[in-house]
């Protein structure tokens, strides 16, 4: 590894942190900056905007135009800093005691900075298979960018076979995580006087029946847990986080909203829960409408993040284990874009610098030693791909 790679990573990280790419705001300036650096390194770049035109994904390729490439993927967006007590300006990188502070330092601009810093050291003409760099938008609000990216790749006929997602794992190799599916179900009833409940449609009471069904399904999840599940707890979890409805004790409730989520340990549980709840919703809706045609139930999808399933044969895990010298891989509780890449047919693994313990917090930082480990992994990848 050329000795200046680490100092270049530091400079690039300072530049990346200075782009305030909070999910609600544009990331175009950062994407432009990254594309500029990757083009200089000889990569071909594909920039695709979101429907609003204010955000973009970047997909860059070094090496042959062929199937079977390796994707290094990171999201450009960061969580907001409002209400957090930062010691310094979150969008200006500060170095202290071997750590680099700033919003996004570990989640996940440190990884992107390392990728951009090593890119010029890859000789595209010597690569045996393509190396792709993916920088996505809106991960923190439901992986919208990665979802669009895998569709774009399918449309363009680009078929990588391995994805390494550099979310902060302290450079440990992570081969699985639960999914996260979030919904708000709204009940619209018919208000009336509390003395004549049969003349109205009580939204709170229908919501209670809906929640009862959710809890029944939750109990059933324990029996569906795969015998070899490594998650804690080993089954798909479900919970109701918020329940809001009604106006007063003596008024038939006209409105109720239930916020709920589930975290599947396996893809079949997703269909199972969604189908069962859709059927129950339809039963309740029919009953409500038979009293008042204007009554209704609507389920809004807040976010659906696919889990990363642990698979026996995983090229991604084998490669990253080899590069980091690890001899096993773990599973984690937090969600990432990895499941999307897996569902798109790639072998996916998570490994990146910094700790999830610092992510989303005030005074977020990444240790310089972690960046050095990440650079040596990427350098190992370079040697592997040119050997
Ligand atoms: Zn992240």
């Amino acid at each position: 590894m050329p000795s200046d790679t680490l100092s270049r990573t530091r400079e690039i990280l300072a530049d990346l942190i200075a782009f305030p790419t909070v999910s609600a705001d544009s990331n175009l300036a950062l994407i432009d900056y990254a594309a500029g650096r990757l083009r200089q390194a000889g990569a071909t770049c594909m920039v695709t905007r979101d429907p609003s035109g204010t955000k973009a994904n970047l997909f860059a390729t070094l090496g042959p135009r062929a199937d079977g490439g390796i994707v290094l993927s990171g999201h450009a967006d960061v969580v907001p800093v409002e209400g957090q007590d930062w010691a310094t300006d979150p969008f200006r990188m500060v170095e202290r005691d071997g750590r680099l502070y700033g919003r996004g330092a570990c989640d996940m601009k440190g990884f992107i900075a390392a990728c951009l810093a090593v890119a010029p050291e890859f000789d595209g003409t010597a690569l045996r298979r393509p190396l792709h760099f993916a920088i996505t938008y809106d991960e923190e609000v439901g992986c919208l960018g990665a979802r669009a990216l895998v569709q774009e790749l399918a449309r363009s006929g680009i078929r990588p076979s391995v994805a390494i997602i550099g979310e902060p794992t302290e450079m440990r190799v992570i081969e699985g995580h639960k999914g996260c599916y979030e919904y708000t179900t709204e009940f619209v009833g018919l208000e009336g006087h509390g003395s004549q409940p049969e003349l109205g449609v009580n939204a709170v009471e229908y919501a209670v029946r809906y929640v009862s069904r959710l809890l029944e399904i939750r109990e059933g999840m324990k029996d569906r847990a795969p015998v070899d599940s490594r998650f804690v707890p080993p089954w798909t979890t479900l919970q109701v986080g918020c329940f809001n409805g009604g106006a007063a004790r003596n008024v038939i409730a006209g409105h109720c909203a239930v916020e709920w989520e589930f975290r599947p340990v396996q893809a079949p549980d997703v269909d199972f829960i969604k189908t069962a709840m859709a059927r129950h919703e339809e039963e309740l809706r029919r009953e409500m409408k038979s009293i008042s045609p204007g009554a209704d139930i609507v389920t809004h999808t807040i976010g659906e993040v696919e889990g990363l399933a642990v698979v026996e044969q995983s090229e991604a895990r084998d490669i990253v284990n080899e590069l980091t010298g690890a001899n096993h891989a773990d599973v984690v509780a937090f969600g990432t874009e990895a499941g999307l890449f897996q569902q798109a047919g790639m072998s996916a693994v998570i490994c990146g610098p910094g700790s999830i313990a610092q992510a989303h917090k005030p005074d977020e930082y990444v240790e310089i030693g972690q960046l050095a480990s990440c650079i040596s992994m990427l350098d190992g990848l370079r040697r592997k791909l040119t050997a």
Side-chain angles (χ1 to χ4, degrees), residues 68 93-94 99 102 123 130 174 215 231 270 284 321 369 373:
M93 191 178 83
V94 174
R99 296 169 171 176
D123 174 3
I174 302 299
L215 299 185
F231 292 106
V270 177
L284 295 178
N321 269 352
S373 305

Side-chain angles (χ1 to χ4, degrees), residues 75 77 106-108 139-140 166-168 334-336 356 359-360:
H75 61 82
D77 59 317
C106 71
D107 186 15
M108 51 187 299
E139 188 269 352
E140 301 288 4
E167 287 280 355
F334 60 91
T336 75
I356 196 73
H360 299 196

Side-chain angles (χ1 to χ4, degrees), residues 97-222:
D97 304 327
R99 296 169 171 176
L100 301 171
Y101 287 84
R103 172 51 86 225
C106 71
D107 186 15
M108 51 187 299
K109 290 178 171 177
F111 177 75
I112 297 175
C115 288
L116 296 178
V118 298
E121 291 156 22
F122 281 77
D123 174 3
T125 58
L127 287 175
R128 288 187 292 106
R129 61 199 276 195
L131 180 68
H132 307 285
F133 299 86
I135 303 180
T136 58
Y137 61 85
D138 283 357
E139 188 269 352
E140 301 288 4
V141 291
C143 295
L144 307 183
R147 205 174 294 282
L149 179 70
V150 293
Q151 286 164 5
E152 181 66 30
L153 294 183
R155 263 198 302 276
S156 314
I158 301 171
R159 284 183 292 268
S161 56
V162 168
I164 300 168
I165 290 86
E167 287 280 355
T169 67
E170 298 170 272
M171 296 305 295
R172 286 184 307 134
V173 185
I174 302 299
E175 60 177 335
H177 61 68
K178 291 185 181 183
C180 187
Y181 289 69
E182 302 166 277
Y183 306 93
T184 298
T185 303
E186 268 190 277
F187 298 79
V188 181
L190 176 66
E191 284 198 342
H193 194 278
S195 65
Q196 293 180 303
E198 70 285 356
L199 296 184
V201 177
N202 192 314
V204 164
E205 292 178 8
Y206 279 97
V208 166
R209 287 167 62 185
Y210 185 87
V211 169
S212 306
R213 183 81 185 105
L214 279 176
L215 299 185
E216 250 173 58
I217 289 176
R218 168 166 88 183
E219 275 312 294
M221 284 298 125
K222 293 179 182 170

